[in-house]
Amino acid sequence: MALRSPNLNVMVNAAKKAARAMVRDFGEVEQLQVSVKGPSDFVSAADLRAEKILRAELSKARPGWGFLGEEGGETPAAEGALDHRWIVDPIDGTTNFIHGMPHFAISIGLERAGELQAGVIYNPITDEMFFAEKGGGAFLNERRLRVAGRQRLDQAVIGTGIPHLGRGEHGPYLRELAHVMTATAGIRRMGSAALDLAYVAAGRYDGFWEHGLKPWDIAAGILLVKEAGGFVADLDGKGGDPMKSGNIIAANERLIGPLGDLIRKANA
């Protein structure tokens, strides 16, 4: 059984509480109040409700800690709060959610002084709780996770995210897609970057890349991959920080280099 710190227990319990309301909303998805936040980028009443619950639960357990949420923006840490910050996406995969597709997750990362300490990614429909702590390994429910051991791209299944209407340059991405398609066993685009990274940690995907993500999309997933023995990097290949750039690649030690080279060559 995985040993969880008090902070990780706070995160798991907050995710489970928010999930109860989310599952009810998912069951009534046709009745959800949906407003348009941007082209093809929707925010639902469930998003806002989930973030409110998460903020309340995390703040109650750890008063004064900072909070960065997709819907509500940032609240800095109070003086004396040791520079802790929660990084939260209440529903990563909102478009899936409002279309009745059961592939979405709550993502909670914990950062201290800019360094990731713990992460939780929870799909309430499948009841899969992915979690990790720095130095403590990565787990799915109570099972220890390791990244896949494949060493050849032609045997690898790679996850990605495709830029939608109003976001990103489609031409460069399509060139990347063509390069990766011809060199790998398959590509999957399932609509939740948090779960994509969790799937790399679990060995379901051999790798993942995407551009233009936000810290709340990837904070928990980055730690999961690293604690499962994988590697995460900025797509530029120059040592950048994907938490800042939003451009991320993740894979095992043998595949991250060749996969990154393949993607960069597409737009060279």
Side-chain angles (χ1 to χ4, degrees):
M1 184 173 177
L3 292 175
R4 299 199 298 236
S5 72
N7 285 339
L8 192 53
N9 281 327
V10 165
M11 298 162 75
V12 167
N13 292 337
K16 286 184 174 179
K17 184 163 185 178
R20 287 195 286 272
M22 194 180 299
V23 170
R24 287 195 299 271
D25 285 333
F26 186 69
E28 301 175 8
V29 70
E30 291 180 358
Q31 282 74 49
L32 280 176
Q33 298 173 6
V34 178
S35 60
V36 177
K37 188 166 60 175
S40 291
D41 191 7
F42 304 104
V43 57
S44 66
D47 257 313
L48 300 170
R49 185 158 39 245
E51 185 164 312
K52 185 177 179 181
I53 292 169
L54 291 166
R55 187 183 283 265
E57 291 297 306
L58 296 170
S59 299
K60 181 171 68 177
R62 299 290 185 266
W65 287 14
F67 189 98
L68 175 63
E70 180 178 15
E71 306 305 339
E74 183 159 18
T75 303
E79 190 174 345
L82 301 175
D83 204 16
H84 284 92
R85 181 172 71 157
W86 304 111
I87 305 174
V88 174
D89 193 341
I91 305 180
D92 187 70
T94 308
T95 301
N96 284 349
F97 181 92
I98 64 174
H99 285 81
M101 291 184 277
H103 190 80
F104 54 87
I106 297 166
S107 178
I108 308 171
L110 173 59
E111 193 180 65
R112 180 178 181 180
E115 196 167 325
L116 292 167
Q117 301 294 316
V120 165
I121 297 172
Y122 182 47
N123 181 339
I125 304 303
T126 60
D127 194 29
E128 289 189 317
M129 179 75 72
F130 300 88
F131 61 92
E133 280 191 281
K134 186 181 178 185
F139 295 82
L140 167 53
N141 297 333
E142 298 302 328
R143 179 172 63 85
R144 184 74 178 256
L145 297 180
R146 293 294 298 176
V147 294
R150 292 182 187 86
Q151 300 183 13
R152 292 171 42 179
L153 279 177
D154 62 0
Q155 298 174 345
V157 171
I158 308 297
T160 190
I162 299 173
H164 51 67
L165 175 66
R167 178 185 157 197
E169 291 292 330
H170 293 88
Y173 178 78
L174 290 172
R175 287 192 289 274
E176 292 175 9
L177 191 63
H179 271 62
V180 178
M181 274 194 311
T182 58
T184 61
I187 295 176
R188 302 290 182 268
R189 195 282 193 192
M190 295 176 71
S192 168
L195 285 173
D196 288 337
L197 287 165
Y199 280 20
V200 173
R204 296 175 180 177
Y205 288 165
D206 299 290
F208 168 73
W209 95 97
E210 190 169 352
H211 298 270
L213 294 169
K214 301 295 185 183
W216 48 79
D217 298 318
I218 58 177
I222 286 174
L223 190 65
L224 270 161
V225 172
K226 289 180 175 179
E227 288 297 322
F231 288 76
V232 180
D234 192 290
L235 268 171
D236 66 8
K238 300 176 182 176
D241 183 356
M243 283 282 285
K244 294 177 180 175
S245 72
N247 304 321
I248 188 170
I249 182 171
N252 68 22
E253 183 178 18
R254 293 296 294 271
L255 292 183
I256 192 164
L259 180 60
D261 290 343
L262 191 67
I263 292 165
R264 287 186 290 273
K265 284 177 184 175
N267 291 302

